[in-house]
Amino acid sequence: MDIIIKIAETDEEVKKCYGTMSQLRPHIKKDEFLSLVKEQEQAGYRIAYVEDGTEVVSVAGFRMSQTLARGMFVYVDDLVTDENQRSKHYGDKLIDWLIDYAKENSCKEFHLDSGVQRFSAHRFYFRKGLTISCYHFEKILDND
Protein backbone atom coordinates (compact mmCIF):
# COMPACT_ATOMS: atom_id res chain seq x y z
CA MET A 1 0.00 0.00 0.00
CA ASP A 2 1.66 3.22 -1.19
CA ILE A 3 -0.25 5.91 0.64
CA ILE A 4 0.40 9.52 1.56
CA ILE A 5 -1.07 11.32 4.58
CA LYS A 6 -0.89 15.09 4.67
CA ILE A 7 -2.71 18.24 5.65
CA ALA A 8 -4.72 19.95 2.93
CA GLU A 9 -2.86 23.23 2.39
CA THR A 10 -4.27 24.48 -0.91
CA ASP A 11 -7.81 25.09 -2.13
CA GLU A 12 -7.40 22.22 -4.59
CA GLU A 13 -6.34 19.82 -1.84
CA VAL A 14 -9.35 20.84 0.26
CA LYS A 15 -11.72 20.43 -2.69
CA LYS A 16 -10.50 16.93 -3.48
CA CYS A 17 -11.44 15.88 0.08
CA TYR A 18 -15.10 16.74 -0.51
CA GLY A 19 -16.18 13.40 -2.01
CA THR A 20 -15.11 11.44 1.04
CA MET A 21 -16.10 14.10 3.59
CA SER A 22 -19.59 14.35 2.06
CA GLN A 23 -20.22 10.73 3.06
CA LEU A 24 -20.07 11.86 6.69
CA ARG A 25 -21.49 15.35 6.15
CA PRO A 26 -24.05 14.94 3.32
CA HIS A 27 -25.80 18.20 4.24
CA ILE A 28 -22.83 20.22 2.95
CA LYS A 29 -23.10 21.12 -0.71
CA LYS A 30 -20.03 20.80 -2.93
CA ASP A 31 -20.10 24.47 -3.93
CA GLU A 32 -20.03 25.63 -0.28
CA PHE A 33 -17.49 23.15 1.08
CA LEU A 34 -14.34 25.20 0.41
CA SER A 35 -15.76 28.40 1.91
CA LEU A 36 -16.96 26.57 5.03
CA VAL A 37 -13.53 25.01 5.51
CA LYS A 38 -11.86 28.40 4.99
CA GLU A 39 -14.10 29.95 7.68
CA GLN A 40 -13.25 27.19 10.14
CA GLU A 41 -9.54 27.47 9.38
CA GLN A 42 -9.70 30.87 11.11
CA ALA A 43 -10.37 28.91 14.32
CA GLY A 44 -7.59 26.39 13.69
CA TYR A 45 -9.51 23.74 11.73
CA ARG A 46 -7.41 21.60 9.38
CA ILE A 47 -8.13 18.65 7.11
CA ALA A 48 -5.74 15.72 7.05
CA TYR A 49 -6.26 13.19 4.31
CA VAL A 50 -5.06 9.83 3.10
CA GLU A 51 -4.35 9.55 -0.58
CA ASP A 52 -3.80 6.22 -2.28
CA GLY A 53 -2.51 6.99 -5.74
CA THR A 54 -4.60 9.97 -6.78
CA GLU A 55 -7.68 8.99 -4.78
CA VAL A 56 -8.58 10.53 -1.40
CA VAL A 57 -9.70 7.53 0.65
CA SER A 58 -9.93 8.90 4.20
CA VAL A 59 -10.23 12.38 5.72
CA ALA A 60 -10.20 13.97 9.15
CA GLY A 61 -11.19 17.49 10.10
CA PHE A 62 -9.44 18.45 13.32
CA ARG A 63 -8.17 21.31 15.42
CA MET A 64 -5.60 21.84 18.11
CA SER A 65 -6.90 23.69 21.13
CA GLN A 66 -6.23 24.46 24.76
CA THR A 67 -8.60 24.63 27.72
CA LEU A 68 -8.23 24.85 31.47
CA ALA A 69 -9.76 21.37 31.81
CA ARG A 70 -7.57 19.62 29.24
CA GLY A 71 -4.50 21.71 28.52
CA MET A 72 -3.33 21.30 24.90
CA PHE A 73 -5.24 18.72 22.89
CA VAL A 74 -6.28 17.68 19.41
CA TYR A 75 -10.00 17.41 18.78
CA VAL A 76 -11.26 15.53 15.74
CA ASP A 77 -14.47 17.03 14.35
CA ASP A 78 -14.79 14.72 11.34
CA LEU A 79 -13.30 11.31 10.59
CA VAL A 80 -14.42 9.19 7.66
CA THR A 81 -13.09 6.62 5.23
CA ASP A 82 -14.68 6.28 1.81
CA GLU A 83 -17.41 3.65 2.06
CA ASN A 84 -15.86 1.74 -0.85
CA GLN A 85 -12.43 1.71 0.81
CA ARG A 86 -13.23 0.53 4.33
CA SER A 87 -11.41 -2.38 5.99
CA LYS A 88 -8.20 -1.49 4.15
CA HIS A 89 -6.59 0.14 7.23
CA TYR A 90 -6.77 3.71 5.89
CA GLY A 91 -8.65 4.85 9.01
CA ASP A 92 -6.09 3.06 11.19
CA LYS A 93 -3.24 4.90 9.53
CA LEU A 94 -5.03 8.25 9.68
CA ILE A 95 -5.90 8.04 13.37
CA ASP A 96 -2.33 6.95 14.16
CA TRP A 97 -1.08 9.95 12.15
CA LEU A 98 -3.42 12.28 14.08
CA ILE A 99 -2.24 10.93 17.44
CA ASP A 100 1.39 11.33 16.37
CA TYR A 101 0.59 14.89 15.20
CA ALA A 102 -0.87 15.64 18.64
CA LYS A 103 2.20 14.27 20.40
CA GLU A 104 4.58 16.18 18.10
CA ASN A 105 2.70 19.38 18.96
CA SER A 106 2.98 18.85 22.73
CA CYS A 107 -0.65 17.90 23.19
CA LYS A 108 -1.47 15.89 26.29
CA GLU A 109 -4.81 14.56 25.03
CA PHE A 110 -6.64 13.41 21.91
CA HIS A 111 -10.43 13.76 21.64
CA LEU A 112 -13.30 13.03 19.30
CA ASP A 113 -17.06 12.68 19.55
CA SER A 114 -19.00 9.99 17.75
CA GLY A 115 -22.74 9.72 17.24
CA VAL A 116 -24.37 7.18 19.55
CA GLN A 117 -25.64 5.22 16.53
CA ARG A 118 -22.19 4.65 14.97
CA PHE A 119 -21.49 1.24 16.54
CA SER A 120 -18.86 0.08 14.04
CA ALA A 121 -16.96 3.36 14.51
CA HIS A 122 -17.07 2.82 18.29
CA ARG A 123 -15.55 -0.64 17.94
CA PHE A 124 -12.78 0.91 15.81
CA TYR A 125 -12.10 3.64 18.41
CA PHE A 126 -11.93 1.09 21.23
CA ARG A 127 -9.44 -0.96 19.17
CA LYS A 128 -7.34 2.19 18.77
CA GLY A 129 -7.20 2.61 22.56
CA LEU A 130 -9.74 5.41 22.94
CA THR A 131 -12.13 5.34 25.89
CA ILE A 132 -15.49 6.89 26.65
CA SER A 133 -14.52 9.58 29.14
CA CYS A 134 -17.62 11.75 29.36
CA TYR A 135 -21.11 12.42 28.09
CA HIS A 136 -21.58 15.16 25.54
CA PHE A 137 -24.84 17.08 25.95
CA GLU A 138 -26.46 19.37 23.44
CA LYS A 139 -29.54 21.46 22.89
CA ILE A 140 -30.58 22.58 19.44
CA LEU A 141 -31.52 26.23 19.72
CA ASP A 142 -34.51 27.65 17.94
CA ASN A 143 -33.34 31.09 16.85
CA ASP A 144 -36.49 32.10 14.97
Side-chain angles (χ1 to χ4, degrees), residues 76-135:
V76 178
D77 296 276
D78 320 287
L79 180 62
V80 61
T81 297
D82 183 286
E83 60 194 13
N84 298 313
Q85 301 294 334
R86 296 201 177 130
S87 299
K88 296 181 180 178
H89 304 287
Y90 295 123
D92 263 330
K93 292 184 182 317
L94 184 53
I95 207 164
D96 289 345
W97 185 93
L98 289 162
I99 289 169
D100 287 344
Y101 180 90
K103 289 177 182 177
E104 290 166 9
N105 285 279
S106 302
C107 293
K108 302 294 182 199
E109 299 184 12
F110 178 84
H111 292 263
L112 63 83
D113 288 338
S114 180
V116 295
Q117 78 285 2
R118 298 188 68 221
F119 302 112
S120 60
H122 302 162
R123 284 191 300 274
F124 170 68
Y125 300 143
F126 287 136
R127 271 197 323 272
K128 296 306 290 178
L130 280 72
T131 61
I132 298 173
S133 60
C134 66
Y135 290 106

Side-chain angles (χ1 to χ4, degrees), residues 17-30 32-33 36 40 45 59 61 75-80 113-115 117-118 125:
C17 293
Y18 175 77
T20 302
M21 183 69 81
S22 67
Q23 294 175 30
L24 181 65
R25 307 288 181 226
H27 62 282
I28 298 175
K29 295 179 179 71
K30 187 174 185 175
E32 65 185 10
F33 180 64
L36 289 171
Q40 290 188 54
Y45 182 82
V59 297
Y75 177 81
V76 178
D77 296 276
D78 320 287
L79 180 62
V80 61
D113 288 338
S114 180
Q117 78 285 2
R118 298 188 68 221
Y125 300 143

Side-chain angles (χ1 to χ4, degrees), residues 31-47:
D31 63 347
E32 65 185 10
F33 180 64
L34 179 62
S35 63
L36 289 171
V37 170
K38 291 272 198 203
E39 283 179 39
Q40 290 188 54
E41 284 177 344
Q42 301 304 309
Y45 182 82
R46 310 295 302 272
I47 293 178

Side-chain angles (χ1 to χ4, degrees), residues 56-69:
V56 172
V57 293
S58 193
V59 297
F62 71 100
R63 63 190 77 236
M64 207 164 42
S65 191
Q66 183 174 20
T67 64
L68 293 175

